[in-house]
Amino acid sequence: MQNKLLQVKNLKKQFQVAGGMFEKKEFVNAVIDVSFEIKEGTTFSLVGESGCGKSTTGRLITRLIDPTSGSITLNGNEVGYLKQSELGDLRETVQMIFQDPYASLNPRMKVKEIIEEPLIIHTKLSKGERENLVLEMLNIVGLNTEYANRYAHEFSGGQRQRIGIARALITKPKLIIADEPVSALDVSIQSQILNLLKKLQQEYQLSYLFISHDLSVVEHISHEIGVMYLGSIVEIATKEALFVNPLHPYTKALIASVPVADPLLRRKKETLKGDIPNPKNPPTGCTFHTRCPIAQELCKLEVPKMRQITEQQSVACHFVEKIEEV
Ligand code: SF4
């Protein structure tokens, strides 16, 4: 039985978007009520359309931003409300890989300085020890050690993302938050980086929170998946259950929109109708009711609770048992 590394419970993040001392304040709920857990050595992915709150959830867990309410526990310890001065251990244990390998690496620093920086901040290792670790890490991510003295702009997108991965791994973290780590890369390079992440996971028992809008990428790397819509998780399932038998109407529509190469296997096309509602003024009840093909009166009135439907699948929908073919 794998240990739970991360547990997120009823996490909420509200941003003030307008108003001030003399004006009425306006808020937007970027994350409304998010709960999930990640076991050691596994990948949990968050998927959903842009603006659904998946990246905000990642930033809350790394404490780049503070939660409004809810709980984030790492190895059983609450980290959601630590002060900035108490975040040292968290910064070592949880690292991020960013979406854009072009923007996330400092162009004025050499590769060895970029990878070494977290060791300077978080450890007391000597210069020689740090240099040895940097060279070892370049090898681990498949980069020539001779690249250590070059600058990031001299590399391709895939190589830069390898540098980003080396930097994230250098403090030997337990959990990596990977926010759209391959979406800026060519498709051929995407699979190289995904395979590298899988290999590193097996070798170092890493856990990943993988954030992506791309279900075909998520299918490649996940053990469990949470589908987000307007700040809430609407379905959590193992990868196998989600792709074979998606239950929530939103998950069904997302999976139906993934292109399938073989025309004989072409999925029933059920595209999403309408736009994602404005999070400043979300629909009442089930926030998906304005786009849901099977919405009923109750859906406008009552927020559906997350319910476990099978051992592998939990869904927030009033009528999930009645869904036969959406
Ligand atoms: Fe559709 Fe209603 Fe289920 Fe929401 S609760 S997904 S609107 S059927």
Side-chain angles (χ1 to χ4, degrees):
M1 179 101 164
Q2 289 150 309
N3 288 331
K4 290 170 191 166
L5 176 67
L6 178 82
Q7 283 182 289
V8 174
K9 275 195 196 149
N10 308 117
L11 193 62
K12 179 172 180 171
K13 179 64 187 176
Q14 195 172 59
F15 291 108
Q16 186 179 338
V17 289
M21 216 185 310
F22 304 109
E23 286 173 11
K24 189 169 175 262
K25 290 179 181 170
E26 281 181 40
F27 295 92
V28 64
N29 291 319
V31 172
I32 294 172
D33 183 6
V34 164
S35 302
F36 64 90
E37 53 193 41
I38 307 182
K39 298 180 196 81
E40 274 179 12
T42 69
T43 301
F44 183 91
S45 293
L46 283 176
V47 291
E49 291 164 288
S50 131
C52 69
K54 53 192 190 305
S55 291
T56 304
T57 304
R59 293 170 67 212
L60 286 166
I61 293 164
T62 47
R63 291 298 313 282
L64 291 174
I65 51 175
D66 296 332
T68 303
S69 61
S71 158
I72 304 166
T73 54
L74 194 66
N75 277 326
N77 300 313
E78 176 64 51
V79 296
Y81 302 95
L82 294 175
K83 298 189 191 102
Q84 284 300 318
S85 57
E86 299 169 331
L87 289 174
D89 284 352
L90 180 79
R91 298 269 180 261
E92 258 182 85
T93 312
V94 182
Q95 286 284 329
M96 269 199 104
I97 301 171
F98 295 95
Q99 173 179 3
D100 187 349
Y102 294 89
S104 60
L105 304 178
N106 188 333
R108 283 188 286 274
M109 290 169 82
K110 289 180 178 170
V111 166
K112 65 179 182 186
E113 294 167 340
I114 291 171
I115 301 173
E116 184 190 19
E117 196 177 36
L119 292 177
I120 297 173
I121 296 168
H122 298 298
T123 74
K124 293 188 167 62
L125 294 174
S126 69
K127 189 163 176 47
E129 288 169 323
R130 293 197 304 266
E131 277 175 6
N132 285 340
L133 276 177
V134 168
L135 295 179
E136 191 185 322
M137 195 50 72
L138 280 170
N139 263 323
I140 287 171
V141 299
L143 289 172
N144 194 321
T145 50
E146 288 172 12
Y147 294 166
N149 283 310
R150 296 194 191 169
Y151 291 89
H153 67 83
E154 297 176 56
F155 295 93
S156 67
Q159 287 172 319
R160 286 185 206 208
Q161 199 52 299
R162 285 175 193 267
I163 297 168
I165 293 169
R167 182 186 156 96
L169 287 184
I170 195 81
T171 57
K172 298 192 168 52
K174 294 260 180 242
L175 174 66
I176 301 271
I177 315 274
D179 189 358
E180 301 273 9
V182 297
S183 60
L185 304 175
D186 291 344
V187 175
S188 58
I189 309 296
Q190 284 188 359
S191 56
Q192 288 177 19
I193 297 296
L194 291 173
N195 289 338
L196 173 64
L197 289 172
K198 282 172 92 167
K199 178 171 155 275
L200 294 171
Q201 179 168 61
Q202 280 160 11
E203 283 174 18
Y204 302 101
Q205 267 298 98
L206 289 168
S207 304
Y208 295 134
L209 173 61
F210 196 90
I211 296 167
S212 178
H213 69 283
D214 186 340
L215 271 170
S216 46
V217 166
V218 161
E219 189 173 15
H220 193 81
I221 196 155
S222 310
H223 296 95
E224 282 190 285
I225 298 168
V227 180
M228 282 191 80
Y229 186 77
L230 268 190
S232 299
I233 293 186
V234 296
E235 180 160 2
I236 291 186
T238 59
K239 175 181 74 175
E240 293 74 18
L242 194 94
F243 281 91
V244 172
N245 184 32
L247 290 178
H248 195 280
Y250 180 60
T251 315
K252 283 175 178 269
L254 279 186
I255 288 179
S257 66
V258 176
V260 180
D262 185 343
L264 296 175
L265 296 175
R266 199 160 280 163
R267 292 173 172 128
K268 186 178 174 227
K269 204 78 182 161
E270 188 65 47
T271 49
L272 277 169
K273 295 176 185 75
D275 293 328
I276 202 163
N278 184 345
K280 268 164 76 179
N281 187 21
T284 56
C286 174
T287 54
F288 188 58
H289 81 251
T290 53
R291 303 169 85 190
C292 180
I294 58 162
Q296 300 185 33
E297 206 46 40
L298 175 67
C299 306
K300 297 180 191 164
L301 304 173
E302 218 173 275
V303 179
K305 289 195 172 67
M306 181 66 83
R307 290 179 294 141
Q308 185 160 3
I309 306 299
T310 68
E311 206 180 318
Q312 299 84 22
Q313 230 156 342
S314 298
V315 184
C317 171
H318 294 304
F319 299 106
V320 65
E321 284 89 353
K322 295 186 183 157
I323 297 170
E324 298 268 323
E325 185 73 16
V326 178

